Amino acid sequence: YYEVPMLGKLVRRPAKFDRKLVRELRNLADPEDPYVTTSGKTMCTNDFYEGQGRIDGAFCEYTEADKMEYLQQIRNQGVVNIEMECIPFAALTHHAGIKAAIVCVTLLDRLKGDQVMAPKEVANEWQIRPQKLVARYIKRYLQRKGRTSFEGHGSMAVKSPRRFKLVQQESETFE
């Protein structure tokens, strides 16, 4: 859940992603991709350092051994990613009735260190990988449906075939 301050009170909203969408995205991974696409639990924290078990921040009240024990524990529970935005995003989209998932790139294995040591060019390429996966999903969706569906709200056919074709062509450039 995500707590939203509203009129002086904390309102709890469920933070849920669509499991079917997660499976669909994972299944769009191409065996020819030079990287592994996986799915699992993402742990959302309130900060980059202590909340994520880093020891290189301004404050640290635990040891390297404590950190490693904790990271191994959450790994054993299925956590494959740590970040700071997914809970509010999941709560907002769930509350709005929008199917959603997150797609992230992992920049480093936290069981091996806290610092991203990859050169900027490599990190930039890594950051494009989630975009490619989402572009595959959008392209496949448009090819299959040719329309936008709002479950429970009917559906809207594509109003401009010219724009639809343009979006299809642009999606192809991301492959």
Side-chain angles (χ1 to χ4, degrees):
Y1 67 90
Y2 180 60
E3 292 185 334
V4 180
M6 211 178 298
L7 301 175
K9 299 176 185 172
L10 286 178
V11 175
R12 287 185 171 188
R13 291 199 173 145
K16 297 180 180 181
F17 287 123
D18 186 273
R19 291 178 188 261
K20 181 180 176 195
L21 179 56
V22 171
R23 284 191 304 275
E24 289 177 29
L25 285 163
R26 184 184 56 231
N27 290 338
L28 286 170
D30 189 331
E32 300 295 317
D33 288 338
Y35 49 87
V36 176
T37 299
T38 187
S39 64
K41 296 176 183 174
T42 292
M43 184 176 85
C44 187
T45 68
N46 290 327
D47 67 274
F48 186 75
Y49 292 99
E50 291 175 302
Q52 295 188 22
R54 286 186 155 81
I55 59 171
D56 58 344
F59 304 103
C60 183
E61 299 176 18
Y62 43 84
T63 67
E64 173 77 16
D66 295 336
K67 174 191 94 166
M68 295 306 292
E69 181 181 342
Y70 176 70
L71 292 175
Q72 190 60 58
Q73 176 188 353
I74 63 171
R75 178 69 180 132
N76 292 344
Q77 294 172 355
V79 172
V80 296
N81 185 44
I82 304 172
E83 55 86 89
M84 301 180 313
E85 299 83 22
C86 68
I87 295 291
F89 179 69
L92 174 71
T93 55
H94 181 72
H95 188 68
I98 300 168
K99 293 180 183 180
I102 59 166
V103 180
C104 301
V105 63
T106 301
L107 299 177
L108 65 119
D109 181 345
R110 291 296 310 291
L111 292 169
K112 296 179 182 173
D114 290 342
Q115 296 293 317
V116 177
M117 304 303 274
K120 184 173 177 68
E121 301 80 33
V122 174
N124 287 342
E125 197 282 327
W126 287 348
Q127 292 178 45
I128 292 171
R129 293 173 179 180
Q131 296 171 30
K132 289 180 180 178
L133 184 65
V134 172
R136 287 178 193 155
Y137 176 81
I138 293 169
K139 179 180 177 184
R140 186 185 63 120
Y141 183 89
L142 291 174
Q143 288 173 335
R144 280 186 172 177
K145 308 247 180 180
R147 58 183 56 231
T148 304
S149 173
F150 295 99
E151 194 171 305
H153 297 90
S155 66
M156 295 186 320
V158 173
K159 292 182 173 144
S160 171
R162 185 177 65 78
R163 282 190 178 167
F164 179 71
K165 185 68 176 169
L166 179 63
V167 169
Q168 280 184 318
Q169 290 169 345
E170 287 297 315
S171 297
E172 289 172 3
T173 64
F174 285 101
E175 289 191 336

